[in-house]
Amino acid sequence: VIGDRALADRAEVVASLGAAIIRALQAGSVAACGKHFPGHGDTSVDSHEALPIVQHERRRLDAVELVPFARAVRERVATIMTAHVMVPAIDEHHVASFSPAIVGVLKSTLGFDGVVISDDLGMKAVSATTPLPDAAVAAPTARRKIQELARPTSSGTASQR
């Protein structure tokens, strides 16, 4: 789903390029954001439309999906955005954005101490099953500090306000 929005198709290359971007942005006093934790590139469903499931075992997640995030943490990235995906290998009951277990991997396992941001709570991966007030309460419960909500315009596209 991420497709050509990804920096590369190999985790090590993504990690290296991402690290360079983080260093450049933050050297210029811009808070960089790693996204979409714990990985969204290897799904076929767009979370704007439905809830994707990352069907990999934990070994694969550690070896591929989490590699760029581990590097971003070592580079002291300021923020990381969670993905609206299900990752049964880590938490089979909660969407990543609302999962204390998944945020625990980011904070405890990878050692991230920056700001965790949810992706847009209005995306159908969340809004199709969770009313906005419930989503807004669930995100901080998962140790999230900032929630995002993009408002639709009359054309139906998202507009940041």
Side-chain angles (χ1 to χ4, degrees), residues 8-160:
D9 60 359
R10 290 191 359 250
E12 300 78 19
V13 176
V14 172
S16 183
L17 293 172
I21 292 168
I22 290 164
R23 286 191 303 272
L25 287 172
Q26 294 187 169
S29 299
V30 175
C33 182
K35 59 185 201 172
H36 294 90
F37 188 82
H40 194 322
D42 196 19
T43 60
S44 60
V45 174
D46 183 346
S47 54
H48 292 90
E49 302 301 326
L51 180 60
I53 300 173
V54 178
Q55 294 283 13
H56 298 301
E57 294 179 10
R58 180 60 193 263
R59 277 191 321 268
R60 156 65 194 247
L61 296 172
D62 290 338
V64 178
E65 279 73 14
L66 299 183
V67 168
F69 296 103
R71 178 71 181 270
V73 169
R74 286 194 306 273
E75 296 294 334
R76 310 243 351 116
V77 68
T79 67
I80 292 184
M81 178 180 285
T82 55
H84 296 321
V85 296
M86 290 295 295
V87 187
I90 300 173
D91 185 340
E92 58 189 44
H93 302 291
H94 299 95
V95 174
S97 295
F98 308 132
S99 169
I102 288 175
V103 176
V105 169
L106 177 59
K107 291 191 166 279
S108 299
T109 305
L110 299 184
F112 181 64
D113 63 358
V115 176
V116 181
I117 303 171
S118 81
D119 206 340
D120 179 4
L121 296 178
M123 294 167 64
K124 290 182 184 169
V126 171
S127 66
T129 59
T130 308
L132 181 57
D134 294 343
V137 169
T141 302
R143 297 167 58 184
R144 189 98 46 259
K145 294 182 179 179
I146 298 175
Q147 292 83 261
E148 176 186 343
L149 178 62
R151 296 190 179 138
T153 65
S154 58
S155 67
T157 59
S159 169
Q160 302 293 324

